[in-house]
Each structure stands twice: as C-alpha cells, then as structure tokens.
C-alpha cells in the first residue's frame, strides 16, 4: 500500500499544552518541528483545565515562594514524587506563566494590576494564576498561535499507530489521516510524546474521547518504561446528574472561591475527614470522603454530595465562575447562583505514566521524549490542582529544547524497513477487513465498567485480581476486532486501534495496584488501609515481561527524603538561579521559614 | 416520528449520512434520557446502530467547539443542545453548510486555520511582560479570548455561506482574532492593511447574524467588527485623516483597494 512520507527534525505527537509548548521551544531553536494531533488544532483536553496554573509569584501572599510550592507538592504526592522534577516545576513555573503574556495571554488582575492568584486545594497560599474558569483555553490558544506563527507544521486529525526504532534510536512514526484513511510516515530523529492521559479507561471520567493512552502505549511498545501506574486521580467534583453529563468536571475553583460541601443531612462532612483544610484538602482525601458519605447512606438522591457556592452571591459567581454557571444552567437546569450542585468523584488525571529524565524528559529510548500528563514523576501519589498546567509548560519546554539539541548534535536519520511499514499498515487496516469479530464498542464498555468496579477509588486485592483477569480476557477478544464502514472518518475503526492501547494500560494499572500493598495518595486498598513507610521508598516500574505480559519491579524513589529537600532550599533560595527574574523577587526571605514550617509538619 | 419511536420512550433523529458524492438523511430511533443532549443521542447511534457515523467531538462541555453542526437548520454545538428542547419532535442533524463536507457531520474547516496562520503579525508586545493592567482592560480583550473556534459564526455569515466569499472575506471568527490583537493594550502590531485588503473587512455589512449564534455570547459585530471597521476607516477612508497624515508624513500602509 502506498503512503506519504514527511521529514521532520522533531515530531511532537499531541497538541495539548505540553505538545504545543514543546513545539514552540524546539522551533525557537531553528529546527523543523511538526505537531500531529488526533483532533483539530486547539481542541485538546487542556481546554478543559479550568481553575488555574500554580506558580509561586507571591502576588497575593508575599510569603509564598517556590520552596513552599515545592513542599506542598511533595507532601500532596506523599513523597513518591521525583524531588528534582518538583524543584524544576516549582522554580520555573512563574517564568513560564509570565512568558505566556508575552505571547498574548492575559490573566486576571489584582487591584494593582499584577497577575491575580486564587486559593486551591492543599496549596499553602493563594497561588493559581487564572482566567476566570477557563484557564486551559487561554493556555492552549496562546500556545497554538505562538506555534503556528513560528512555522511549526501542524498535522491535524492524524492518528499515529506505530513508532519505529532501530537498535540505536527512534526512527519515525506511522499514522493515518482520519479524513480519508491515507497513511503517512514521519521520518524523524526525535519524537516527543505529549498525548495526555487515559481517563477513558473508566466509565465515569472528565476526559474526552481522545484520552485513551495511545501515546503512552506507543512509547511503551518501543521500550520506554512506565512508572506509578496505580496512581489514578479521582477529581472529587464531577457532575452527577443528568446521566449525559455524568463525570463532567466541576472546577476546584468552586471550592477555591469558597464553595462548601454538604451531605444529604446538610452537614459539612469534611469536618470528619480533614477538619483543618476542610473543602480545600487534597483531591484524594476529598474524593474518598464523598464516597464514604455515600456508602454510609448520607448521599444525595443520585449518590453524591452537594457543592454550594450560592452564598457568595450572583455577581461574584458570574464574574469568577461564568463557565460553571452556564454549564449547570444549560445541561442540568441548575442555577448555581441560587442552588447547590450535585457532584461525585470522576476520573480526572493519571499521575503515573512514561518514565523520563527529570531535566530533559528523555525516555529509555534514544530520541524519544515524553512530557505532560503522559509522563510521570512530578505528581507522585496525588496531584495538586493547578500543577498540571505548570507541569506541561515547564516540562513541555524542557522536552522541546532537549529534542532540538539532540537533533543538532546527531541529525542522522535511522532507516525504517519497507516491510515493517507495510506490516504496520496491514495491522492497522485489519479490523476493516474482517467479516466477523468482536465489536470494539462492546469491549470498550466492558473495559470501562471493569476499571470503575475493580480499580476505582477503593480497591481490594481480590477485586484487583478479578479485574486483571477480566482485562486479560478482553485482550484475547480484542485480538480480532471487526468494524463496519470504510477508512474515511470512521470512529469505530479509530476505537478499534485505541482499544489496543487502553487494554495494555489497564493491565499496567492492575499489576501495579496489586503490587503496592499499602494505601498512599490516590491508591487506596481496603485490605491495606494504612500508609506504609517502607513502601514510601519505592516507585513501581512496569516493563514488558517475557511472554507479552507485564512485569513490575520496585525502584527507590529519587531524592524524596524531606530532609534532603530542606537542606537544599536555603542555598537555592538566595542564589536566584535560573528560576525567577521579575515578579516577586523580594519575597524569598520570608518564604524560607514558611517552607521549613511545612516540612516540619510532614 | 416512527412507529417504533412512538411505542417506547424514543426520539427519532434524522442524521445526514454521506460525503462529497452525495448523501441522505437516515432515521435512527434513540431512547430518551433525562437531560440528554444531541451528542449523547449521536453517541448512542454510534455504539448500537452505526459505528462508523462520523461526528467530531472532544470535551463535551462546550469548551472546545469541535461539535458544531446544524440541528433543525440552526447552527448549534451538539454537546449543548438538549434533546428535550424539541419536545419529542423529530430532530434533523446536518453538517455545517459553509465548509466542504468530509463525511456525515464532519466538514473540512481547515480554511479557518490557514487564515489564522496568515494573520500576521501575531501578538507583538510594546514592552516585555509583566504588563501592569487594570482588570477592565483585561476584560475587554478576554471577551475575544472566549472564542472556542467552533466556526458557527462562519457558518451563518452570509458573505461566506450564500456568496461563497472565502476568497474575499475571512469571516467573523477571524475578525474576533484580529480584535483580540488590535485591542490588546500592550500590542504594537499593525494589521490594518491586512484587515482592509486580504481579510476584506469591508464585506461585512453588520447584519449581526454571527453574534446571534455565538455559543460564548461574544458581541462579534459590536465589540470586534465595528471597532475594527472604525480603525480601518480612520486610516483609509477619512480624507481629513489622510491629509493630516500627509502633513505629518505618517504614511498609510496602502490605500483601500479591497472593495
């Protein structure tokens, strides 16, 4: 079968925040960059990010510094985070946010004209730069325009089905155009995978159809490792009713702006779970609290909790949360300026993912990088709200710079054998050619039920084992999927291919969750309900085993000792470093003590 | 409504199926659920009746603008259009009419992205950030940043839709993009020549149709197009201004030739 061939110096797969930021960074160095996206440009899941981007400017609270942000992040991640990545994240975030304004973004302002920051769960200070409740859209639009005007080549609505490598390095990627099914081969010395998470593995999720984990699986299939796969974040507040909107995100900004949680008895139940931080506790704690209230018979009519912001008054809500107001009014007939929202936890984010080098986002495969949600390391066992947007800016840029540098050092393209390409094309087309076989929609529905039932908020060893068996059974059925219609814009065919990735990642979640016999952050085991300090020293690495199955091994967490972080801080605080020109340089001194106080509590 | 639909609690959707070679509306009966939107119904059709039904969607929360189509002849976001709004009557779903059809409900909207690429210069700050700005100035620009690029406004713009004017006029969505740059308090770029000539702002005769369909309620005509028209008129169509410029030797980029 014929196919088109395109050459790029850097190929970015995924046009969300991380992918576009990587493309911008690489293009600025003068190399040729291409971005491939499954959707149209600007539609990626980053648009759903609502609350804001965490960056310790200290505009609202002068004591805030990157060190306090560092401590908040490590603590919320239950110290499974890679401490070096967290340092990079928290030191560089303010610069990354500020440069967006140089490219056309405009964040909400304080009375004195600085970037306004809002409170968010488990952030010690008001820290999230935001644009009402549509911060993600501001990021993606800014980066999209910046990328396009820097000459980045955009390939919309292309699905990558295979990565190629030789013994030495990555060699290219094969995909097809959704519009007509024609195949296209990208020959490139470097690939940056920035494809986001795999929330679609679950039946209730805030994620769009795209988040099937195909990028993680592509990287895994050529030799990258996965880490912390058991760590799946449930956002405490997803919409619950009517059924069509089940799982749709209700921004944490609602609680950040003063929203209160009640059970059916009109009781602020968070007093039982985290009396100090209440509604602004970490997401893992709030999500499990809601689920416990429902289990105890104190749930709302459809099995959730009430979230009420109406006491802040209509003018405030219309200004701070206009999107939420529209969303509830139009989709649920609820006016949040007068009525409470009915909410329940929804799968939102994957802390686990492709294992990368902290500084360069390089994977175990030469020439292959990963950034954003698809990569792991920054968030540990639980992600703080606002840290994902910071993550994709900081590490998207780092991946783009590193890939561009690699191309300049070693531009030699690796060969791709024609037989390999033809084999990959035939494999991709197989579901269209079969006259009988399993229906991908049915398998997807079964998989999503399985994940929600056995790998959800509350897990048990026996449940996880049952779930794993079910996933392996589905994998066997999915060997011969069959779809109707032709190759032109055929969602059934896309799903058949995405499903292969979803089934691999589902297995990885189960094998890791079975292995971690403790409860930590997002991973809660009823049979091991306590956090075990011995387990806190290890990340779980998933690789391919002998017979196609997956293998899990433990590796020591990198630099997660709180003491180490504490000694490091004073030195870096005063040096200025690469982190922080401009903005709030004067607040460094007082922040040191704030940070130490945080550290002492842990 | 078909007989089967009447028997159960069902609604009948007539969905356009076809491509460049032609197509027809095909009827599908879908069970009604509380709060269901048209996109839910289409997903049901995909899962149980027509797995190859082509429809674009992403966020399902009216944030991304992917699922623009025409429902009973009205340009709508499928994720925001409630089935119960039609009171049980049949619902006809067709693709956007301004752009070439790819398949079923999916059209080729690449023209819009090509024009966005041509919109040069991009943001050009007159000083490096941080910008010291009051909130009201931010709000003015933020109205344009609300655009989700769904292209519903392009679909109803009569210059583009009825007169096939994509070679003359870039349409309201790109005017919003121009406005976001031109009205940014810290922008120093000059795009008036582009606006007057290639982008053809003169073709808009302010019928307000674009503003009426905007799911983000951007006042496209009043807040974006009219201020832009004023700037273009000041430079290219104001004889006193032209005479003053001659006097002060501030050259206009070119004279109005786009009309």
């Amino acid at each position: 079968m014929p196919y088109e061939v395109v050459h790029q110096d850097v190929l970015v797969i995924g046009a969300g925040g991380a992918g576009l930021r990587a493309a911008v960074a690489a293009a600025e160095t003068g190399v040729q960059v291409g971005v491939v996206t499954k959707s149209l440009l600007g539609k990626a899941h980053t648009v759903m990010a609502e609350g804001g981007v965490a960056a310790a400017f200290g505009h609202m609270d002068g004591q805030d510094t990157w060190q306090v942000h560092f401590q908040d992040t490590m603590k919320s991640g239950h110290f499974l985070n890679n401490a070096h990545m967290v340092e990079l994240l928290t030191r560089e975030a303010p610069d990354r946010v500020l440069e967006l304004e140089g490219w056309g973004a405009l964040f909400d302002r304080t009375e004195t004209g600085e970037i306004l920051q809002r409170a968010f769960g488990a952030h010690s200070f008001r820290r999230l730069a935001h644009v009402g409740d549509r911060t993600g859209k501001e990021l993606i639009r800014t980066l999209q325009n910046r990328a396009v005007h820097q000459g980045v080549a955009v390939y919309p609505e292309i699905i990558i089905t295979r990565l190629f490598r030789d013994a030495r390095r990555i060699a290219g990627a094969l995909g097809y155009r959704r519009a007509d099914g024609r195949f296209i081969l990208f020959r490139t010395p470097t690939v940056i995978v920035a494809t986001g998470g795999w929330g679609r593995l679950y039946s209730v999720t805030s994620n769009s159809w795209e988040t099937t984990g195909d990028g993680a699986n592509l990287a895994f299939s050529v030799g990258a490792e996965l880490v912390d796969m058991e760590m799946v974040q449930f956002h405490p507040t997803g919409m619950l009713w009517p059924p069509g909107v089940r799982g749709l995100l209700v921004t944490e900004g609602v609680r950040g702006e003063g929203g209160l949680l009640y059970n059916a008895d009109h009781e602020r139940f968070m007093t039982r779970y985290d009396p100090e931080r209440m509604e602004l506790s970490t997401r893992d704690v709030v999500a499990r609290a809601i689920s416990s209230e429902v289990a105890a018979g104190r749930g709302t009519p459809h099995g959730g909790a009430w979230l009420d912001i109406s006491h802040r008054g209509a003018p405030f809500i219309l200004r701070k949360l206009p999107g939420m107001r529209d969303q509830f009014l139009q989709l649920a007939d609820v006016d949040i300026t007068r009525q409470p929202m009915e909410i329940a936890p929804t799968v939102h984010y994957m802390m686990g993912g492709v294992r990368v080098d902290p500084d360069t986002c390089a994977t175990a495969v030469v020439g292959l990088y990963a950034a954003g949600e698809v990569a792991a390391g920054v968030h540990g066992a639980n992600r703080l709200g606002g840290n994902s947007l910071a993550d994709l800016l900081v590490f998207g840029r780092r991946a783009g710079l590193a890939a561009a540098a690699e191309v300049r050092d070693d531009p030699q393209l690796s060969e791709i054998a024609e037989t390999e390409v033809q084999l990959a094309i035939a494999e991709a087309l197989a579901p269209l050619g079969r006259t009988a076989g399993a229906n991908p929609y049915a398998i997807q529905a079964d998989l999503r039920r399985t994940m929600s039932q056995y790998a959800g908020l509350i897990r048990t060893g026996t449940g996880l084992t049952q779930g794993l068996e079910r996933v392996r059974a589905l994998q066997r059925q999915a060997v011969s999927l069959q779809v109707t219609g032709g190759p032109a814009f055929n969602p059934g065919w896309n799903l058949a291919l995405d499903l292969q990735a979803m089934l691999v990642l589902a297995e990885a979640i189960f094998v890791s969750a079975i292995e971690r016999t403790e409860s930590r952050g997002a991973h809660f085991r009823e049979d091991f309900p306590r956090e075990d300090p011995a387990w806190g020293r290890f990340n779980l690495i998933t690789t391919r085993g002998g017979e196609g199955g997956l293998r899990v091994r433990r590796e020591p967490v990198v630099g997660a000792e709180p003491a180490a972080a504490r000694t490091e801080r004073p030195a870096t605080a005063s040096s200025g470093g690469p982190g922080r020109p401009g903005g709030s340089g004067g607040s460094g001194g007082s922040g040191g003590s704030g940070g130490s106080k945080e550290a002492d509590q842990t | 409504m078909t007989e089967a639909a009447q028997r159960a609690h069902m609604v009948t959707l007539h969905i356009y199926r076809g491509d460049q070679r032609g197509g027809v509306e095909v009827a599908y009966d879908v069970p009604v659920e509380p709060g269901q939107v048209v996109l839910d119904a289409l997903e049901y059709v995909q899962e149980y009746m027509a797995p190859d039904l082509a429809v674009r969607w992403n966020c399902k929360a009216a944030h991304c603008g992917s699922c623009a189509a025409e429902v009973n002849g009205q340009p709508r976001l499928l994720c925001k259009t409630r089935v119960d709004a039609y009171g049980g009557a049949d619902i006809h779903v067709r693709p956007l009419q301004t752009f070439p059809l790819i398949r079923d409900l999916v059209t080729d909207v690449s023209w819009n992205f090509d024009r966005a690429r041509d919109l040069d210069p991009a943001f050009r700050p007159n000083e490096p950030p941080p910008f010291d700005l009051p909130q009201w100035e931010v709000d003015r620009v933020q109205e344009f940043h609300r655009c989700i690029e769904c292209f519903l406004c392009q679909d109803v713009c009569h210059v583009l839709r009825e007169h096939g004017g994509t070679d003359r006029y870039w349409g309201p969505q790109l005017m919003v993009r121009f406005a976001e740059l031109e009205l940014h308090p810290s922008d120093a770029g000059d795009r008036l020549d582009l606006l007057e000539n290639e982008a053809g702002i003169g073709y808009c005769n302010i019928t307000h149709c674009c503003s009426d369909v905007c799911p983000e309620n951007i006042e496209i005509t009043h807040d974006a197009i009219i201020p832009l028209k004023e700037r273009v008129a000041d430079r290219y169509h104001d004889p006193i201004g032209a005479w003053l410029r001659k006097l002060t030797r501030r050259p206009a980029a070119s004279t109005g030739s786009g009309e």
Side-chain angles (χ1 to χ4, degrees):
Chain A
M1 169 145 319
Y3 53 87
E4 185 185 345
V5 181
V6 172
H7 286 82
Q8 295 291 349
D9 291 332
V10 176
L11 182 72
V12 182
I13 305 176
L20 290 174
R21 188 61 189 84
V24 166
E28 273 176 349
T29 72
V31 301
Q32 265 208 319
V33 185
V35 176
V36 182
T37 155
K38 294 208 294 194
S39 294
L40 297 173
L41 184 60
K43 309 303 186 191
H45 202 59
T46 306
V47 296
M48 282 301 289
E50 290 164 346
V53 46
F57 285 108
H59 289 165
M60 317 297 293
D61 303 295
Q63 317 92 296
D64 198 14
T65 60
W66 73 263
Q67 292 92 335
V68 185
H69 189 190
F70 174 93
Q71 279 301 329
D72 287 347
T73 303
M74 292 299 296
K75 207 168 124 184
S76 299
H78 295 252
F79 296 94
L80 278 195
N81 330 49
N82 179 310
H84 183 51
M85 285 182 93
V86 177
E87 179 178 340
L88 295 174
L89 175 89
T90 53
R91 286 176 72 123
E92 294 178 7
D95 282 351
R96 296 290 80 79
V97 171
L98 212 52
E99 78 194 345
L100 290 177
E101 289 216 330
W103 300 339
L106 269 177
F107 290 92
D108 284 354
R109 285 299 196 271
T110 64
E111 303 230 317
T112 55
E114 288 182 310
I115 291 177
L116 181 68
Q117 299 181 273
R118 72 160 41 125
F120 235 56
H123 285 279
S124 297
F125 297 109
R126 287 172 289 177
R127 190 175 283 148
L128 270 70
H130 60 277
V131 182
D133 53 7
R134 51 183 180 80
T135 314
K137 190 161 84 189
E138 188 77 2
L139 257 69
I140 206 128
R141 206 62 84 228
T142 304
L143 292 170
Q144 157 187 358
N145 288 323
R146 180 75 179 170
V148 162
H149 282 96
Q150 278 189 308
V152 169
V154 179
Y155 300 90
E157 298 195 318
I158 286 181
I159 293 191
I160 300 293
T161 62
R162 181 68 65 90
L163 292 182
F164 297 103
R165 62 170 293 179
D166 63 9
R168 195 171 66 95
R169 76 187 307 179
I170 208 82
L174 178 76
Y176 66 88
R177 295 179 188 277
R178 295 186 69 199
D180 52 18
R182 280 184 301 134
F183 282 85
I184 177 167
L185 179 69
F186 295 92
R187 296 206 52 203
T188 173
T190 58
V191 170
I192 299 172
V193 174
T195 49
W198 36 97
R200 295 297 288 183
L201 258 60
Y202 288 79
S203 41
V204 177
T205 175
S206 64
N207 289 189
S208 81
W209 71 271
E210 290 189 296
T211 52
T212 53
D214 46 336
N217 185 51
L218 285 170
F220 190 53
S221 68
V222 291
E225 296 177 324
L226 302 175
V227 56
D228 295 339
M229 288 299 287
E230 72 279 21
M231 296 303 176
V232 176
Q233 178 166 77
F234 285 75
H235 194 292
T237 59
M239 284 178 85
L240 179 54
W241 188 260
V245 299
R246 182 96 205 254
L248 202 62
L249 186 65
V250 179
T251 175
E252 188 165 328
V254 175
R255 282 172 289 141
E257 300 293 354
L260 304 174
L261 286 167
Y262 297 99
N263 60 21
D265 303 335
H266 204 70
E267 193 186 4
R268 278 183 73 188
F269 57 87
M270 283 308 297
T271 47
R272 275 196 287 281
Y273 304 91
D274 189 344
E276 199 180 317
R277 296 184 294 189
M278 296 292 286
E279 280 83 1
L280 290 178
S281 183
T282 52
R283 289 177 174 177
D284 52 340
V285 172
V286 181
R288 266 197 303 280
I290 294 168
S291 140
S292 303
E293 289 298 302
V294 175
R298 294 187 291 270
T300 56
H302 301 104
W306 298 114
L307 172 63
D308 194 0
I309 183 90
S310 61
H311 57 278
R312 299 300 309 257
F316 178 86
I317 295 166
L318 289 176
R319 140 138 224 94
K320 289 292 186 178
L321 303 160
M324 282 301 109
R325 202 256 181 167
D326 283 356
Q327 185 172 312
F328 272 89
L329 206 55
Q330 282 163 4
L331 301 176
D333 301 322
V334 168
D335 180 356
I336 70 168
T337 65
R338 296 185 296 109
Q339 298 165 281
M341 298 161 250
E342 193 178 13
I343 53 90
T346 180
V347 168
H348 186 53
Y349 189 86
M350 301 294 154
M351 274 75 72
V354 177
R355 193 185 198 194
V356 293
D357 174 77
D359 292 296
T360 62
C361 301
T363 68
V365 181
V366 175
L368 181 64
Y369 299 79
E373 186 176 352
V374 70
V378 192
H379 308 294
N382 176 62
R383 178 172 72 78
L384 272 183
N387 269 1
S388 179
L389 291 185
D391 173 2
L392 57 84
L393 294 174
V394 167
F395 293 100
R397 171 179 164 273
R398 284 182 163 269
L401 291 176
E406 187 188 329
V407 171
R408 279 196 308 276
D409 289 350
D410 182 4
Q412 185 66 41
L413 275 177
S414 289
E415 289 304 314
I416 305 171
E418 178 62 18
T419 48
E420 256 193 280
V421 178
Q422 290 301 337
L423 194 68
I425 291 177
E427 262 178 41
L429 288 171
L432 287 169
R434 290 195 185 97
T435 49
N439 173 359
Y441 285 96
I443 295 202
Q444 177 186 237
D446 196 331
L447 173 66
R448 297 179 74 188
R449 275 194 305 273
T450 302
M451 297 305 290
S452 293
Q453 186 177 353
Y454 298 115
L457 255 178
I458 292 164
R459 304 164 175 182
T460 67
T462 44
L464 289 168
T465 309
Q466 278 175 290
L468 178 60
E469 275 166 25
R470 185 74 204 140
V471 165
R472 289 193 170 139
L474 291 174
Q475 285 173 341
R476 287 190 290 276
Q477 289 178 42
V479 168
S480 55
L481 294 171
Q482 187 243 333
V483 295
T484 55
F489 220 106
N490 185 341
W493 181 35
N494 296 340
L495 177 60
L497 301 176
D498 276 347
L499 207 47
Q500 308 300 338
M502 294 167 82
L503 288 163
V504 171
L505 297 172
E507 184 181 352
I509 290 173
F510 277 117
V511 294
S512 302
I514 289 169
E515 185 73 10
R516 187 173 285 279
T517 48
E518 65 154 351
S519 291
R520 179 176 298 272
H523 174 67
F524 184 83
R525 293 264 311 244
E526 225 165 30
D527 43 352
F528 297 95
R530 291 221 167 67
E531 198 162 291
D532 177 354
W535 261 113
R537 294 202 297 274
F538 296 105
N539 293 113
L540 289 174
I541 316 291
T542 308
T543 54
R544 285 194 182 278
E547 300 129 27
L550 304 184
R551 194 170 286 170
V552 184
R553 66 168 198 275
R554 299 177 196 190
E555 272 199 26
V557 172
V558 184
E561 289 300 315
R566 201 160 41 217
T567 51
E568 194 180 352
R569 268 185 290 109
T572 42
S574 51
S575 70
R580 268 252 28 134
S584 61
S587 57
S590 58
S593 58
S596 301
K597 192 179 110 245
E598 283 299 305
D600 291 343
Q601 289 169 358
T602 60
Chain B
M1 198 184 300
T2 65
E3 258 180 65
Q6 269 169 336
R7 274 199 303 276
H9 192 40
M10 305 275 257
V11 64
T12 304
L13 263 72
H14 302 267
I15 305 170
Y16 185 85
R17 304 294 314 266
D19 55 26
Q20 288 280 6
R21 291 164 297 186
V24 288
E25 283 190 1
V26 179
Y28 300 91
D29 293 338
V30 174
V32 175
E33 288 213 53
Q36 184 179 36
V37 292
V38 174
L39 184 57
D40 290 323
L42 294 173
E43 280 192 65
Y44 182 90
V45 172
Q46 269 184 344
E47 187 160 353
Y48 298 103
M49 291 176 257
D52 64 333
L53 170 65
V55 53
R56 272 197 192 104
W57 70 276
N58 280 63
C59 75
K60 207 171 173 287
H63 290 336
C64 80
S66 300
C67 63
E70 296 190 5
V71 183
N72 287 0
Q74 297 298 309
R76 306 280 309 177
L77 294 181
L78 298 171
C79 72
K80 225 176 148 181
T81 306
R82 295 265 292 258
V83 168
D84 56 16
Y86 299 91
D90 288 13
I91 295 173
H92 298 261
V93 192
R94 298 177 73 93
L96 298 180
Q97 296 300 299
T98 293
F99 302 107
L101 183 64
I102 293 177
R103 202 167 153 261
D104 300 345
L105 303 175
V106 175
T107 53
D108 177 1
V109 292
S110 57
W111 177 81
N112 301 285
F113 290 96
D114 293 342
R115 295 296 75 73
R117 187 183 285 266
D118 295 341
L119 206 173
D120 189 63
F123 181 56
R124 184 169 287 175
N126 51 20
E127 52 171 351
F131 308 125
D132 187 359
L133 293 174
Q135 184 65 40
W136 67 266
E137 281 203 282
V138 171
D139 285 343
R140 196 171 60 153
V141 178
Q142 278 299 352
E143 177 183 3
F144 309 124
H145 286 203
R146 291 208 304 261
C147 174
I148 55 175
E149 301 187 350
C150 63
F151 310 126
L152 287 178
C153 56
Q154 307 286 68
D155 188 47
V156 296
C157 172
H158 62 98
V159 180
L160 305 181
R161 185 178 177 123
E162 266 106 52
H163 303 287
T166 50
D167 58 335
R168 281 153 282 165
Y169 179 45
W170 289 9
Q173 194 268 324
L174 274 301
M175 295 302 123
V176 169
R177 173 83 183 122
F178 269 105
E180 134 189 6
L181 295 166
E182 287 290 320
L183 303 184
H184 192 303
S186 306
D187 174 73
D190 185 342
R191 304 160 193 88
L192 293 189
D193 182 44
L194 184 68
L195 198 51
E196 161 78 351
N197 297 305
E198 280 90 327
I201 190 169
Y203 282 96
C204 168
N205 53 8
I206 324 186
T207 52
H208 215 274
C209 314
C210 50
S211 309
D212 292 341
V213 299
C214 178
E216 287 288 331
N217 302 314
I218 302 171
E219 285 292 341
I220 304 175
T221 313
H222 281 131
D223 294 349
I225 296 180
I226 290 175
L228 290 174
K229 275 179 173 282
E230 284 169 354
R231 289 183 181 209
V232 168
D234 279 353
R235 180 178 295 177
Y236 299 103
H237 306 286
D238 171 11
I240 298 170
W243 177 76
L244 276 174
R245 266 194 303 277
K246 206 179 246 174
L247 220 61
T248 55
R249 292 195 198 158
R250 271 179 46 214
S254 78
T255 52
S257 56
E259 293 183 347

